[in-house]
Amino acid sequence: MQFMLLFSRQGKLRLQKWYTAHPDKTKKKITRELVTTILTRKPKMCSFLEWRDLKVVYKRYASLYFCCAIEQTDNELLTLEIIHRYVELLDKYFGSVCELDIIFNFEKAYFILDELLLGGEVQETSKKTVLKAIAAQDLLQEDEQVEQGIQD
């Protein structure tokens, strides 16, 4: 996977994860181009498209679009499955995830994504294992906040 983008129906970028290096200017151009292309497509159209030398796989869940760019040789259906797995994890963590959850808890959304994918490749297929890692991270964060409260 080259990158993953999450954006709203209004075209607002909510989360971006790049697995290949690009200058910021190029990232902005790619993002703008893809968001515009995907938002102008009709709902009944295929969720796969050829774009430059990559394949783009996207899926809309409620008001959010999840978009991934993959190599020409990568499997589109597997990528759709990865997107779905990520949405399932977000749903489990936030309890029916919505755009506001991503906006106000973007660090958690990134952490969940990082537990699922590493360097653009699936790192962990078990939802339980990912959720355990997130719960452990939350406990660590709570302990740290309690310690800071004691020191203040």
Side-chain angles (χ1 to χ4, degrees):
M1 188 179 299
Q2 300 287 310
F3 57 85
M4 180 185 270
L5 304 173
L6 265 71
F7 55 92
S8 68
R9 285 185 303 198
Q10 293 76 35
K12 298 265 189 237
L13 189 63
R14 298 302 182 202
L15 186 130
Q16 59 180 335
K17 186 72 176 185
W18 298 83
Y19 298 107
T20 53
H22 295 285
D24 284 345
K25 197 173 181 179
T26 307
K27 287 180 185 177
K28 284 187 175 103
K29 187 176 183 216
I30 290 170
T31 302
R32 191 171 42 250
E33 202 174 308
L34 275 177
V35 167
T36 306
T37 303
I38 291 169
L39 288 177
T40 56
R41 291 172 63 88
K42 299 199 175 1
K44 297 276 186 208
M45 292 176 92
C46 180
S47 292
F48 312 140
L49 59 118
E50 303 255 335
W51 180 79
R52 296 185 183 178
D53 59 339
L54 300 171
K55 281 192 269 189
V56 173
V57 178
Y58 69 93
K59 181 96 172 105
R60 181 177 157 197
Y61 288 90
S63 66
L64 283 174
Y65 284 88
F66 292 73
C67 167
C68 296
I70 57 175
E71 299 291 326
Q72 287 290 343
T73 55
D74 288 341
N75 187 329
E76 303 95 335
L77 294 175
L78 186 61
T79 306
L80 264 182
E81 189 59 38
I82 292 168
I83 291 171
H84 188 70
R85 177 61 47 107
Y86 183 48
V87 172
E88 285 178 325
L89 285 164
L90 290 171
D91 270 345
K92 278 253 198 280
Y93 184 79
F94 291 111
S96 190
V97 69
C98 68
E99 193 175 341
L100 288 175
D101 291 323
I102 304 293
I103 293 168
F104 293 115
N105 300 291
F106 64 91
E107 71 285 344
K108 294 292 181 201
Y110 276 114
F111 186 77
I112 293 168
L113 185 60
D114 289 343
E115 285 297 313
L116 179 66
L117 297 173
L118 183 65
E121 299 287 331
V122 175
Q123 172 181 268
E124 181 55 67
T125 55
S126 166
K127 283 187 276 189
K128 276 185 179 174
T129 304
V130 172
L131 290 168
K132 276 183 191 171
I134 296 159
Q137 184 64 31
D138 284 349
L139 277 174
L140 199 62
Q141 198 172 9
E142 285 172 23
D143 290 348
E144 202 173 278
Q145 287 171 346
V146 167
E147 282 180 25
Q148 284 178 345
I150 293 170
Q151 290 173 354
D152 289 345

mmCIF file of all heavy atoms in Angstrom, residues 26-65:
data_model
loop_
_atom_site.group_PDB
_atom_site.id
_atom_site.type_symbol
_atom_site.label_atom_id
_atom_site.label_comp_id
_atom_site.label_asym_id
_atom_site.label_seq_id
_atom_site.Cartn_x
_atom_site.Cartn_y
_atom_site.Cartn_z
ATOM 1 N N THR A 26 3.676 17.544 -3.195
ATOM 2 C CA THR A 26 3.176 16.419 -3.988
ATOM 3 C C THR A 26 2.027 15.723 -3.261
ATOM 4 O O THR A 26 1.024 15.367 -3.884
ATOM 5 C CB THR A 26 4.312 15.412 -4.268
ATOM 6 O OG1 THR A 26 5.415 16.104 -4.840
ATOM 7 C CG2 THR A 26 3.864 14.307 -5.191
ATOM 8 N N LYS A 27 2.154 15.547 -1.935
ATOM 9 C CA LYS A 27 1.087 14.929 -1.144
ATOM 10 C C LYS A 27 -0.205 15.733 -1.277
ATOM 11 O O LYS A 27 -1.284 15.152 -1.461
ATOM 12 C CB LYS A 27 1.483 14.840 0.332
ATOM 13 C CG LYS A 27 2.516 13.794 0.645
ATOM 14 C CD LYS A 27 2.812 13.818 2.135
ATOM 15 C CE LYS A 27 3.931 12.886 2.506
ATOM 16 N NZ LYS A 27 4.262 12.947 3.928
ATOM 17 N N LYS A 28 -0.087 17.045 -1.173
ATOM 18 C CA LYS A 28 -1.273 17.909 -1.290
ATOM 19 C C LYS A 28 -1.913 17.790 -2.663
ATOM 20 O O LYS A 28 -3.137 17.713 -2.782
ATOM 21 C CB LYS A 28 -0.898 19.366 -1.012
ATOM 22 C CG LYS A 28 -0.697 19.666 0.455
ATOM 23 C CD LYS A 28 -0.497 21.151 0.709
ATOM 24 C CE LYS A 28 -0.425 21.449 2.179
ATOM 25 N NZ LYS A 28 0.909 21.699 2.677
ATOM 26 N N LYS A 29 -1.079 17.735 -3.685
ATOM 27 C CA LYS A 29 -1.582 17.624 -5.056
ATOM 28 C C LYS A 29 -2.288 16.281 -5.268
ATOM 29 O O LYS A 29 -3.381 16.218 -5.827
ATOM 30 C CB LYS A 29 -0.434 17.794 -6.051
ATOM 31 C CG LYS A 29 -0.892 17.865 -7.486
ATOM 32 C CD LYS A 29 0.259 18.123 -8.439
ATOM 33 C CE LYS A 29 -0.303 18.259 -9.840
ATOM 34 N NZ LYS A 29 0.527 17.726 -10.856
ATOM 35 N N ILE A 30 -1.654 15.207 -4.818
ATOM 36 C CA ILE A 30 -2.231 13.867 -4.929
ATOM 37 C C ILE A 30 -3.571 13.818 -4.197
ATOM 38 O O ILE A 30 -4.571 13.343 -4.737
ATOM 39 C CB ILE A 30 -1.262 12.800 -4.356
ATOM 40 C CG1 ILE A 30 -0.044 12.632 -5.265
ATOM 41 C CG2 ILE A 30 -1.969 11.471 -4.151
ATOM 42 C CD1 ILE A 30 1.079 11.792 -4.662
ATOM 43 N N THR A 31 -3.574 14.316 -2.965
ATOM 44 C CA THR A 31 -4.789 14.307 -2.141
ATOM 45 C C THR A 31 -5.912 15.080 -2.822
ATOM 46 O O THR A 31 -7.028 14.575 -2.951
ATOM 47 C CB THR A 31 -4.492 14.911 -0.749
ATOM 48 O OG1 THR A 31 -3.444 14.163 -0.131
ATOM 49 C CG2 THR A 31 -5.712 14.890 0.137
ATOM 50 N N ARG A 32 -5.609 16.282 -3.268
ATOM 51 C CA ARG A 32 -6.624 17.122 -3.923
ATOM 52 C C ARG A 32 -7.192 16.419 -5.156
ATOM 53 O O ARG A 32 -8.403 16.362 -5.359
ATOM 54 C CB ARG A 32 -6.008 18.474 -4.286
ATOM 55 C CG ARG A 32 -6.999 19.525 -4.731
ATOM 56 C CD ARG A 32 -6.387 20.919 -4.884
ATOM 57 N NE ARG A 32 -5.077 20.950 -5.514
ATOM 58 C CZ ARG A 32 -3.942 21.244 -4.888
ATOM 59 N NH1 ARG A 32 -3.938 21.534 -3.610
ATOM 60 N NH2 ARG A 32 -2.790 21.251 -5.537
ATOM 61 N N GLU A 33 -6.303 15.860 -5.959
ATOM 62 C CA GLU A 33 -6.701 15.193 -7.198
ATOM 63 C C GLU A 33 -7.581 13.972 -6.915
ATOM 64 O O GLU A 33 -8.629 13.792 -7.552
ATOM 65 C CB GLU A 33 -5.433 14.770 -7.947
ATOM 66 C CG GLU A 33 -5.625 14.557 -9.424
ATOM 67 C CD GLU A 33 -4.290 14.281 -10.116
ATOM 68 O OE1 GLU A 33 -3.328 15.068 -9.931
ATOM 69 O OE2 GLU A 33 -4.226 13.268 -10.818
ATOM 70 N N LEU A 34 -7.165 13.144 -5.967
ATOM 71 C CA LEU A 34 -7.927 11.933 -5.651
ATOM 72 C C LEU A 34 -9.270 12.240 -4.999
ATOM 73 O O LEU A 34 -10.282 11.620 -5.334
ATOM 74 C CB LEU A 34 -7.119 11.002 -4.757
ATOM 75 C CG LEU A 34 -6.176 10.063 -5.481
ATOM 76 C CD1 LEU A 34 -5.385 9.238 -4.498
ATOM 77 C CD2 LEU A 34 -6.927 9.163 -6.438
ATOM 78 N N VAL A 35 -9.281 13.166 -4.061
ATOM 79 C CA VAL A 35 -10.529 13.528 -3.388
ATOM 80 C C VAL A 35 -11.538 14.027 -4.420
ATOM 81 O O VAL A 35 -12.692 13.592 -4.437
ATOM 82 C CB VAL A 35 -10.280 14.583 -2.280
ATOM 83 C CG1 VAL A 35 -11.578 15.202 -1.795
ATOM 84 C CG2 VAL A 35 -9.518 13.964 -1.110
ATOM 85 N N THR A 36 -11.100 14.901 -5.310
ATOM 86 C CA THR A 36 -11.979 15.430 -6.359
ATOM 87 C C THR A 36 -12.485 14.313 -7.270
ATOM 88 O O THR A 36 -13.676 14.234 -7.560
ATOM 89 C CB THR A 36 -11.225 16.489 -7.207
ATOM 90 O OG1 THR A 36 -10.703 17.480 -6.323
ATOM 91 C CG2 THR A 36 -12.145 17.142 -8.213
ATOM 92 N N THR A 37 -11.594 13.437 -7.690
ATOM 93 C CA THR A 37 -11.962 12.326 -8.576
ATOM 94 C C THR A 37 -12.993 11.419 -7.924
ATOM 95 O O THR A 37 -14.013 11.069 -8.532
ATOM 96 C CB THR A 37 -10.707 11.504 -8.959
ATOM 97 O OG1 THR A 37 -9.761 12.371 -9.573
ATOM 98 C CG2 THR A 37 -11.059 10.381 -9.905
ATOM 99 N N ILE A 38 -12.750 11.035 -6.685
ATOM 100 C CA ILE A 38 -13.637 10.090 -5.998
ATOM 101 C C ILE A 38 -14.994 10.726 -5.689
ATOM 102 O O ILE A 38 -16.034 10.093 -5.867
ATOM 103 C CB ILE A 38 -12.957 9.531 -4.730
ATOM 104 C CG1 ILE A 38 -11.795 8.618 -5.146
ATOM 105 C CG2 ILE A 38 -13.942 8.788 -3.844
ATOM 106 C CD1 ILE A 38 -10.880 8.196 -4.032
ATOM 107 N N LEU A 39 -14.982 11.982 -5.245
ATOM 108 C CA LEU A 39 -16.246 12.632 -4.894
ATOM 109 C C LEU A 39 -17.143 12.863 -6.115
ATOM 110 O O LEU A 39 -18.364 12.948 -5.964
ATOM 111 C CB LEU A 39 -15.992 13.961 -4.171
ATOM 112 C CG LEU A 39 -15.470 13.839 -2.743
ATOM 113 C CD1 LEU A 39 -15.180 15.207 -2.158
ATOM 114 C CD2 LEU A 39 -16.446 13.079 -1.852
ATOM 115 N N THR A 40 -16.563 12.956 -7.303
ATOM 116 C CA THR A 40 -17.377 13.174 -8.509
ATOM 117 C C THR A 40 -17.917 11.866 -9.090
ATOM 118 O O THR A 40 -18.741 11.907 -10.002
ATOM 119 C CB THR A 40 -16.583 13.930 -9.591
ATOM 120 O OG1 THR A 40 -15.380 13.209 -9.872
ATOM 121 C CG2 THR A 40 -16.244 15.341 -9.147
ATOM 122 N N ARG A 41 -17.459 10.734 -8.572
ATOM 123 C CA ARG A 41 -17.947 9.441 -9.068
ATOM 124 C C ARG A 41 -19.339 9.146 -8.505
ATOM 125 O O ARG A 41 -19.646 9.511 -7.376
ATOM 126 C CB ARG A 41 -16.968 8.322 -8.706
ATOM 127 C CG ARG A 41 -15.666 8.443 -9.479
ATOM 128 C CD ARG A 41 -14.621 7.465 -8.994
ATOM 129 N NE ARG A 41 -14.985 6.077 -9.179
ATOM 130 C CZ ARG A 41 -14.744 5.371 -10.290
ATOM 131 N NH1 ARG A 41 -14.142 5.937 -11.309
ATOM 132 N NH2 ARG A 41 -15.102 4.090 -10.367
ATOM 133 N N LYS A 42 -20.141 8.474 -9.280
ATOM 134 C CA LYS A 42 -21.500 8.114 -8.856
ATOM 135 C C LYS A 42 -21.443 6.931 -7.883
ATOM 136 O O LYS A 42 -20.551 6.094 -7.962
ATOM 137 C CB LYS A 42 -22.334 7.770 -10.084
ATOM 138 C CG LYS A 42 -22.448 8.951 -11.040
ATOM 139 C CD LYS A 42 -23.603 8.794 -11.982
ATOM 140 C CE LYS A 42 -23.849 9.974 -12.879
ATOM 141 N NZ LYS A 42 -22.997 11.112 -12.814
ATOM 142 N N PRO A 43 -22.407 6.864 -6.940
ATOM 143 C CA PRO A 43 -22.385 5.805 -5.921
ATOM 144 C C PRO A 43 -22.377 4.380 -6.483
ATOM 145 O O PRO A 43 -21.817 3.476 -5.877
ATOM 146 C CB PRO A 43 -23.661 6.050 -5.115
ATOM 147 C CG PRO A 43 -24.028 7.457 -5.387
ATOM 148 C CD PRO A 43 -23.513 7.795 -6.749
ATOM 149 N N LYS A 44 -22.996 4.176 -7.631
ATOM 150 C CA LYS A 44 -23.083 2.831 -8.206
ATOM 151 C C LYS A 44 -21.819 2.427 -8.973
ATOM 152 O O LYS A 44 -21.704 1.293 -9.423
ATOM 153 C CB LYS A 44 -24.291 2.729 -9.150
ATOM 154 C CG LYS A 44 -25.623 2.921 -8.460
ATOM 155 C CD LYS A 44 -26.104 1.638 -7.849
ATOM 156 C CE LYS A 44 -27.508 1.818 -7.297
ATOM 157 N NZ LYS A 44 -27.778 0.949 -6.203
ATOM 158 N N MET A 45 -20.888 3.340 -9.117
ATOM 159 C CA MET A 45 -19.661 3.041 -9.859
ATOM 160 C C MET A 45 -18.736 2.145 -9.033
ATOM 161 O O MET A 45 -18.822 2.104 -7.813
ATOM 162 C CB MET A 45 -18.941 4.332 -10.256
ATOM 163 C CG MET A 45 -19.694 5.151 -11.300
ATOM 164 S SD MET A 45 -18.874 6.700 -11.650
ATOM 165 C CE MET A 45 -17.867 6.228 -13.021
ATOM 166 N N CYS A 46 -17.864 1.464 -9.736
ATOM 167 C CA CYS A 46 -16.890 0.562 -9.120
ATOM 168 C C CYS A 46 -15.998 1.314 -8.125
ATOM 169 O O CYS A 46 -15.677 2.480 -8.331
ATOM 170 C CB CYS A 46 -16.051 -0.058 -10.229
ATOM 171 S SG CYS A 46 -14.799 -1.191 -9.629
ATOM 172 N N SER A 47 -15.588 0.632 -7.064
ATOM 173 C CA SER A 47 -14.728 1.231 -6.031
ATOM 174 C C SER A 47 -13.249 1.141 -6.363
ATOM 175 O O SER A 47 -12.406 1.423 -5.519
ATOM 176 C CB SER A 47 -14.975 0.545 -4.689
ATOM 177 O OG SER A 47 -16.253 0.845 -4.230
ATOM 178 N N PHE A 48 -12.920 0.721 -7.570
ATOM 179 C CA PHE A 48 -11.524 0.627 -7.997
ATOM 180 C C PHE A 48 -11.332 1.554 -9.188
ATOM 181 O O PHE A 48 -12.200 1.648 -10.046
ATOM 182 C CB PHE A 48 -11.154 -0.787 -8.458
ATOM 183 C CG PHE A 48 -11.590 -1.885 -7.532
ATOM 184 C CD1 PHE A 48 -12.089 -3.072 -8.035
ATOM 185 C CD2 PHE A 48 -11.496 -1.746 -6.159
ATOM 186 C CE1 PHE A 48 -12.487 -4.097 -7.195
ATOM 187 C CE2 PHE A 48 -11.898 -2.772 -5.307
ATOM 188 C CZ PHE A 48 -12.395 -3.937 -5.821
ATOM 189 N N LEU A 49 -10.186 2.222 -9.222
ATOM 190 C CA LEU A 49 -9.876 3.002 -10.412
ATOM 191 C C LEU A 49 -8.385 3.024 -10.669
ATOM 192 O O LEU A 49 -7.588 2.934 -9.741
ATOM 193 C CB LEU A 49 -10.450 4.424 -10.345
ATOM 194 C CG LEU A 49 -10.049 5.356 -9.208
ATOM 195 C CD1 LEU A 49 -9.337 6.557 -9.780
ATOM 196 C CD2 LEU A 49 -11.294 5.815 -8.492
ATOM 197 N N GLU A 50 -8.036 3.107 -11.927
ATOM 198 C CA GLU A 50 -6.626 3.214 -12.317
ATOM 199 C C GLU A 50 -6.276 4.686 -12.245
ATOM 200 O O GLU A 50 -6.998 5.528 -12.787
ATOM 201 C CB GLU A 50 -6.442 2.696 -13.748
ATOM 202 C CG GLU A 50 -6.917 1.272 -13.943
ATOM 203 C CD GLU A 50 -5.779 0.293 -14.053
ATOM 204 O OE1 GLU A 50 -4.680 0.705 -14.448
ATOM 205 O OE2 GLU A 50 -6.008 -0.887 -13.727
ATOM 206 N N TRP A 51 -5.185 4.983 -11.572
ATOM 207 C CA TRP A 51 -4.797 6.377 -11.406
ATOM 208 C C TRP A 51 -3.270 6.458 -11.468
ATOM 209 O O TRP A 51 -2.588 5.815 -10.677
ATOM 210 C CB TRP A 51 -5.328 6.895 -10.074
ATOM 211 C CG TRP A 51 -5.004 8.306 -9.799
ATOM 212 C CD1 TRP A 51 -5.616 9.414 -10.294
ATOM 213 C CD2 TRP A 51 -3.972 8.784 -8.934
ATOM 214 N NE1 TRP A 51 -5.022 10.542 -9.795
ATOM 215 C CE2 TRP A 51 -4.014 10.185 -8.965
ATOM 216 C CE3 TRP A 51 -3.001 8.144 -8.146
ATOM 217 C CZ2 TRP A 51 -3.131 10.967 -8.240
ATOM 218 C CZ3 TRP A 51 -2.129 8.934 -7.426
ATOM 219 C CH2 TRP A 51 -2.200 10.321 -7.471
ATOM 220 N N ARG A 52 -2.792 7.228 -12.413
ATOM 221 C CA ARG A 52 -1.357 7.292 -12.705
ATOM 222 C C ARG A 52 -0.826 5.868 -12.879
ATOM 223 O O ARG A 52 -1.360 5.109 -13.652
ATOM 224 C CB ARG A 52 -0.609 8.072 -11.627
ATOM 225 C CG ARG A 52 -1.048 9.534 -11.563
ATOM 226 C CD ARG A 52 -0.216 10.308 -10.596
ATOM 227 N NE ARG A 52 -0.694 11.688 -10.493
ATOM 228 C CZ ARG A 52 -0.164 12.561 -9.680
ATOM 229 N NH1 ARG A 52 0.842 12.230 -8.893
ATOM 230 N NH2 ARG A 52 -0.631 13.789 -9.638
ATOM 231 N N ASP A 53 0.204 5.494 -12.131
ATOM 232 C CA ASP A 53 0.722 4.118 -12.256
ATOM 233 C C ASP A 53 0.252 3.241 -11.091
ATOM 234 O O ASP A 53 0.806 2.184 -10.834
ATOM 235 C CB ASP A 53 2.254 4.143 -12.343
ATOM 236 C CG ASP A 53 2.894 4.796 -11.122
ATOM 237 O OD1 ASP A 53 2.191 5.565 -10.428
ATOM 238 O OD2 ASP A 53 4.079 4.550 -10.856
ATOM 239 N N LEU A 54 -0.801 3.673 -10.392
ATOM 240 C CA LEU A 54 -1.327 2.946 -9.237
ATOM 241 C C LEU A 54 -2.787 2.556 -9.443
ATOM 242 O O LEU A 54 -3.443 3.029 -10.363
ATOM 243 C CB LEU A 54 -1.238 3.836 -7.979
ATOM 244 C CG LEU A 54 0.140 4.307 -7.548
ATOM 245 C CD1 LEU A 54 0.018 5.346 -6.448
ATOM 246 C CD2 LEU A 54 0.999 3.149 -7.085
ATOM 247 N N LYS A 55 -3.260 1.712 -8.547
ATOM 248 C CA LYS A 55 -4.687 1.411 -8.475
ATOM 249 C C LYS A 55 -5.200 2.061 -7.201
ATOM 250 O O LYS A 55 -4.526 2.018 -6.160
ATOM 251 C CB LYS A 55 -4.926 -0.097 -8.395
ATOM 252 C CG LYS A 55 -4.816 -0.802 -9.718
ATOM 253 C CD LYS A 55 -5.346 -2.217 -9.624
ATOM 254 C CE LYS A 55 -4.246 -3.170 -9.269
ATOM 255 N NZ LYS A 55 -4.625 -4.577 -9.368
ATOM 256 N N VAL A 56 -6.357 2.659 -7.281
ATOM 257 C CA VAL A 56 -6.965 3.280 -6.113
ATOM 258 C C VAL A 56 -8.204 2.476 -5.741
ATOM 259 O O VAL A 56 -9.034 2.160 -6.590
ATOM 260 C CB VAL A 56 -7.330 4.754 -6.398
ATOM 261 C CG1 VAL A 56 -8.111 5.354 -5.241
ATOM 262 C CG2 VAL A 56 -6.073 5.567 -6.667
ATOM 263 N N VAL A 57 -8.283 2.126 -4.466
ATOM 264 C CA VAL A 57 -9.413 1.380 -3.929
ATOM 265 C C VAL A 57 -10.039 2.262 -2.856
ATOM 266 O O VAL A 57 -9.333 2.752 -1.981
ATOM 267 C CB VAL A 57 -8.945 0.040 -3.306
ATOM 268 C CG1 VAL A 57 -10.117 -0.718 -2.715
ATOM 269 C CG2 VAL A 57 -8.206 -0.801 -4.328
ATOM 270 N N TYR A 58 -11.348 2.476 -2.954
ATOM 271 C CA TYR A 58 -12.001 3.308 -1.952
ATOM 272 C C TYR A 58 -13.342 2.721 -1.561
ATOM 273 O O TYR A 58 -13.921 1.900 -2.269
ATOM 274 C CB TYR A 58 -12.166 4.748 -2.454
ATOM 275 C CG TYR A 58 -13.168 4.894 -3.572
ATOM 276 C CD1 TYR A 58 -14.498 5.204 -3.294
ATOM 277 C CD2 TYR A 58 -12.796 4.721 -4.903
ATOM 278 C CE1 TYR A 58 -15.421 5.327 -4.326
ATOM 279 C CE2 TYR A 58 -13.708 4.853 -5.930
ATOM 280 C CZ TYR A 58 -15.023 5.153 -5.625
ATOM 281 O OH TYR A 58 -15.939 5.272 -6.634
ATOM 282 N N LYS A 59 -13.826 3.134 -0.402
ATOM 283 C CA LYS A 59 -15.123 2.681 0.095
ATOM 284 C C LYS A 59 -15.673 3.778 0.977
ATOM 285 O O LYS A 59 -14.938 4.395 1.750
ATOM 286 C CB LYS A 59 -14.946 1.388 0.910
ATOM 287 C CG LYS A 59 -16.205 0.816 1.458
ATOM 288 C CD LYS A 59 -16.749 -0.254 0.548
ATOM 289 C CE LYS A 59 -17.908 -0.977 1.201
ATOM 290 N NZ LYS A 59 -19.196 -0.635 0.693
ATOM 291 N N ARG A 60 -16.960 4.021 0.847
ATOM 292 C CA ARG A 60 -17.598 5.031 1.695
ATOM 293 C C ARG A 60 -18.334 4.339 2.831
ATOM 294 O O ARG A 60 -19.092 3.392 2.620
ATOM 295 C CB ARG A 60 -18.584 5.852 0.868
ATOM 296 C CG ARG A 60 -19.261 6.917 1.688
ATOM 297 C CD ARG A 60 -20.178 7.757 0.856
ATOM 298 N NE ARG A 60 -21.172 8.355 1.729
ATOM 299 C CZ ARG A 60 -22.299 8.872 1.311
ATOM 300 N NH1 ARG A 60 -22.597 8.872 0.042
ATOM 301 N NH2 ARG A 60 -23.138 9.387 2.170
ATOM 302 N N TYR A 61 -18.083 4.802 4.038
ATOM 303 C CA TYR A 61 -18.800 4.354 5.225
ATOM 304 C C TYR A 61 -19.397 5.600 5.853
ATOM 305 O O TYR A 61 -18.655 6.488 6.276
ATOM 306 C CB TYR A 61 -17.863 3.678 6.229
ATOM 307 C CG TYR A 61 -17.377 2.309 5.796
ATOM 308 C CD1 TYR A 61 -16.221 2.165 5.052
ATOM 309 C CD2 TYR A 61 -18.090 1.166 6.130
ATOM 310 C CE1 TYR A 61 -15.773 0.913 4.658
ATOM 311 C CE2 TYR A 61 -17.649 -0.094 5.752
ATOM 312 C CZ TYR A 61 -16.490 -0.207 5.012
ATOM 313 O OH TYR A 61 -16.055 -1.454 4.625
ATOM 314 N N ALA A 62 -20.723 5.679 5.888
ATOM 315 C CA ALA A 62 -21.442 6.854 6.403
ATOM 316 C C ALA A 62 -20.931 8.109 5.685
ATOM 317 O O ALA A 62 -20.995 8.178 4.469
ATOM 318 C CB ALA A 62 -21.321 6.944 7.917
ATOM 319 N N SER A 63 -20.377 9.061 6.422
ATOM 320 C CA SER A 63 -19.940 10.313 5.779
ATOM 321 C C SER A 63 -18.447 10.323 5.451
ATOM 322 O O SER A 63 -17.912 11.337 5.024
ATOM 323 C CB SER A 63 -20.271 11.501 6.681
ATOM 324 O OG SER A 63 -19.510 11.424 7.867
ATOM 325 N N LEU A 64 -17.770 9.189 5.663
ATOM 326 C CA LEU A 64 -16.327 9.138 5.428
ATOM 327 C C LEU A 64 -15.967 8.231 4.260
ATOM 328 O O LEU A 64 -16.527 7.149 4.103
ATOM 329 C CB LEU A 64 -15.600 8.615 6.671
ATOM 330 C CG LEU A 64 -15.417 9.578 7.823
ATOM 331 C CD1 LEU A 64 -14.824 8.838 9.011
ATOM 332 C CD2 LEU A 64 -14.525 10.741 7.443
ATOM 333 N N TYR A 65 -15.011 8.686 3.469
ATOM 334 C CA TYR A 65 -14.430 7.861 2.411
ATOM 335 C C TYR A 65 -13.079 7.360 2.888
ATOM 336 O O TYR A 65 -12.274 8.135 3.411
ATOM 337 C CB TYR A 65 -14.219 8.683 1.139
ATOM 338 C CG TYR A 65 -15.477 8.946 0.356
ATOM 339 C CD1 TYR A 65 -16.268 10.054 0.626
ATOM 340 C CD2 TYR A 65 -15.869 8.092 -0.668
ATOM 341 C CE1 TYR A 65 -17.421 10.306 -0.106
ATOM 342 C CE2 TYR A 65 -17.018 8.339 -1.400
ATOM 343 C CZ TYR A 65 -17.793 9.444 -1.110
ATOM 344 O OH TYR A 65 -18.931 9.680 -1.835
#
